[in-house]
Structures are given as structure tokens and as C-alpha cells.
Amino acid sequence: MADHSLPVLRWADPPDGPMLVLLDQRRLPTAEVEVVCTDVPGLVAAIQSLAVRGAPLLGIAGAYGIALAAARGYDVGEAARSLTAARPTAVNLAYGVERAVAAHRATGGNGPAAAAAALAEARALHREDAVASERMAELGLALLGELLPGGGYRLLTHCNTGALVSGGHGTAFAVVRAAHRAGELRRLWVDETRPLLQGARLTAWEAAREEMSYAVLADAAAGSLFAAGEVDAVLIGADRIAADGSVANKVGSYPLAVLARHHDVPFVVVAPVSTVDPGAADAGAIPIEQRPGHEVTDIGPGVPVAPVGAQAYNPAFDVTPAGLVTAIVTERGVVSPVDGGNLAAVCSGSRSVGAGKGDGMMKA
């Protein structure tokens, strides 16, 4: 099969740069257009408007943002504060920013050498994420084989978790892709993911590029799929995972977890360890971004679907309790059963934990 890697984010050196060039995810699937960021305010705007999105990629973008500020002689501390605040739930953004800032400070915190160190750290994070994506795909596919002997998987996913959110092939979608390339994917069910349709616009676009068998469904139709026995497993990503294993992901994920538990269907989260926030003890410590109401009341710019003046509730994320999560797949191993102790053990690399049903062990 062809390699459909996407240039979702790239650094441009002089004479054209320094600048960060992003694939504008707001324009997909109808147009493949790039956005050029020459300063941190431009990158912050791109992050907040979802031109660039997805937890791992936000971490990479944040690190490059610090490199951009340093290369152009802007205040790195101020850049770090504005970037970190751009999307409060996605912990990877702060992680990437902090890594680049630490590299900048370690090399004097000023001048070309410090700027070069920040850029080198951003590039290192970019490479690491690609490697992590491949490892999660391997471990996730093995987990599916343990949970669902026989192959021919019918997988349901929510939001977008592919190459558009990663330095590699993604998180949950990377596992789906691995199953597809192994000849084990029977059907990918793609939640449309209201209100911004990241599933219908982005995941379906990626699935089509990979020549998968897929179908888009309205979020409210997922229950009928479960009731008909048409879902073998749910695979989602994460924007922040608390220390107890609670998972914040695109709003609509929690109802899928409840449906999956009721119908005895595995509910699997795929995310790098950089998404785990040991400083957030539980769900209550995860900040939930509230986005503008017009994203709900309008189906598109200037296209209202609600009466003028209608109020809207628009949380970007919801939180699934650890008890509803079958497993968390990270690049360091699979956490199952999901609890604080097992999560900490895998993230620290101190030991592997059970993966799937029974007493099977998945080596990290």
C-alpha cells in the first residue's frame, strides 16, 4: 500500500523563514491549504481556531513556537505563556512548550545558540512522536488480537486521531491503520463528531486516503450500531489523562464509553505518555475548554441552525472515568486494568501491565 504521510507541520529556514508552515485543518476536506506562521501570535491564533489541532501535534507546534520566538528575537517567556494558554485541556501543548523552553534556557537563554537549541528540541520531539505513533500502532494491534480473536474488526472512532494530529500516523487511527494494513479491518465507523465535524471532515478524509472500508454516522446513531451488534471495539485518543486514569477527550467520548460498557464492547484509549498529567489527580483537576456558542448554533460561517440569540453549551471535551476504560495504549506499554498504579508504572517504564482480558501480559 502507498504511504500517505501528510506534511501537516514543517519548519522553514531562511531565506524563507524562520517560520512554521501548517496544513490548515479548517479547510479540509475540500481544500489542502497551508497557513504560514511567522510569529507566536499567529501560531496562537492557528491553535485556537483549530487550523492546527490534536494533542500530540499541539505539543510539537508548541515546541516549534518557542523556537520561532527565539529565532526572531521575541520574549520566550511571554511566548510560552501565550502558547500554553491557547488550549487549556490539551496537556501536550504545555509539555512541548516546556521542553523547548528548558533547552533554550540550558544554552544561555539568549542568542543564536539558545535559539538553535530550542529548534533542535522541537525537531527531537517531532521525531519522538513519529516513533511513539508506530509503537502504539504495534501494541494496539496486538491488544485487538487479544481482546477480539479472529480479526475482521468493526471499529468505532470519535473525532480525529490520525496523521493530522501527530508527527507520525497518529494515535487511535494509527491502530486502525495497522489493522487495515494487516487485512484485519472489516469496517471503520466514523462518528461525525459534532459540533465541528472532525470525524466527518478529517477522519473520513484520512480513511479514504488509506482506502479503508468506512462509513460516517451521526453521533446520535452510535447507540443503534451497538444495539445491532455492529461494533467490536471503540478506539479513541485523549487530550489529557489524569493520574487515576480518567480520560479527557473530544466531547461525545464519555457517552460512547457508557454504551460500550452496557454492550460489553472494549473501550480503548490510545495516547502517548506525554498526554498523562500526573499533576491532575482525577477528573475534577482537568480543565475543560469552553468554546464559542456559534460553533453549535451555526453549521458553518454565517449558516445558523438555531434562532438568533439562542444560547449554547459547548464544552470541547468530556471526561471518561477510568472504570469505563478497558485499556490505555501508550508507546511504553498497555495499561489494563486502568488505575493509578498501573498507569504510573507504565509511564515510568518500571514494569508492564496486563493487556486485555484474563491474565495476559503485554510487554512494553
Side-chain angles (χ1 to χ4, degrees), residues 133-200:
S133 176
E134 292 303 310
R135 181 61 173 154
M136 288 186 290
E138 294 171 4
L139 291 173
L141 182 59
L143 176 65
L144 287 177
E146 182 178 344
L147 293 172
L148 305 166
Y153 311 128
R154 297 164 300 177
L155 305 175
L156 173 66
T157 191
H158 190 69
C159 199
N160 174 250
T161 58
L164 290 170
V165 309
S166 169
H169 294 292
T171 56
F173 190 86
V175 178
V176 174
R177 177 179 179 273
H180 171 59
R181 297 200 165 207
E184 298 292 353
L185 180 66
R186 180 175 169 188
R187 177 61 65 93
L188 176 63
W189 299 112
V190 180
D191 266 1
E192 62 174 351
T193 317
R194 280 285 290 152
L196 295 177
L197 304 175
Q198 291 100 328

Side-chain angles (χ1 to χ4, degrees), residues 20-347:
L20 195 58
V21 184
L22 312 169
L23 179 65
D24 190 346
Q25 298 189 34
R26 299 167 300 186
R27 302 288 298 277
L28 293 172
T30 56
E32 296 181 25
V33 179
E34 290 183 325
V35 174
V36 174
C37 299
T38 59
D39 55 26
V40 169
L43 179 56
V44 168
I47 290 170
Q48 292 177 331
S49 67
L50 307 186
V52 59
R53 44 155 296 282
L57 191 65
L58 287 178
I60 296 168
Y64 278 116
I66 295 301
L68 184 62
R72 290 192 173 269
Y74 298 137
D75 187 305
V76 168
E78 178 58 33
R81 287 187 289 273
S82 61
L83 284 165
T84 300
R87 297 290 307 276
T89 303
V91 71
N92 299 68
L93 179 54
Y95 172 77
V97 167
E98 289 165 4
R99 278 189 51 169
V101 167
H104 185 262
R105 288 175 178 165
T107 321
N110 191 29
L119 179 58
E121 191 68 15
R123 286 173 166 158
L125 178 59
H126 203 159
R127 291 191 299 269
E128 289 168 19
D129 189 70
V131 172
S133 176
E134 292 303 310
R135 181 61 173 154
M136 288 186 290
E138 294 171 4
L139 291 173
L141 182 59
L143 176 65
L144 287 177
E146 182 178 344
L147 293 172
L148 305 166
Y153 311 128
R154 297 164 300 177
L155 305 175
L156 173 66
T157 191
H158 190 69
C159 199
N160 174 250
T161 58
L164 290 170
V165 309
S166 169
H169 294 292
T171 56
F173 190 86
V175 178
V176 174
R177 177 179 179 273
H180 171 59
R181 297 200 165 207
E184 298 292 353
L185 180 66
R186 180 175 169 188
R187 177 61 65 93
L188 176 63
W189 299 112
V190 180
D191 266 1
E192 62 174 351
T193 317
R194 280 285 290 152
L196 295 177
L197 304 175
Q198 291 100 328
R201 293 189 304 105
L202 306 179
T203 299
W205 182 72
E206 290 189 306
R209 288 169 62 92
E210 292 286 343
E211 301 179 353
M212 294 178 181
S213 174
Y214 75 94
V216 177
L217 63 144
D219 294 356
S224 66
L225 273 184
F226 282 98
E230 292 291 331
V231 181
D232 297 317
V234 179
L235 270 69
I236 67 166
D239 286 81
R240 188 182 299 230
I241 301 174
D244 70 342
S246 300
V247 176
N249 191 54
K250 180 66 181 180
V251 69
S253 299
Y254 173 51
L256 291 179
V258 174
L259 282 166
R261 175 55 55 89
H262 180 74
H263 292 278
D264 195 27
V265 169
F267 184 87
V268 178
V269 175
V270 186
V273 295
S274 56
T275 305
V276 178
D277 180 8
D282 52 29
I286 299 177
I288 300 298
E289 177 185 357
Q290 298 290 329
R291 293 190 59 83
H294 68 77
E295 293 179 349
V296 174
T297 60
D298 294 11
I299 197 67
V303 186
V305 292
V308 174
Q311 299 297 301
Y313 172 62
N314 189 20
F317 308 95
D318 57 25
V319 182
T320 299
L324 294 178
V325 180
T326 305
I328 298 175
V329 178
T330 79
E331 74 274 29
R332 295 184 188 171
V334 178
V335 182
S336 182
V338 177
D339 59 37
N342 286 338
L343 181 61
V346 165
C347 288

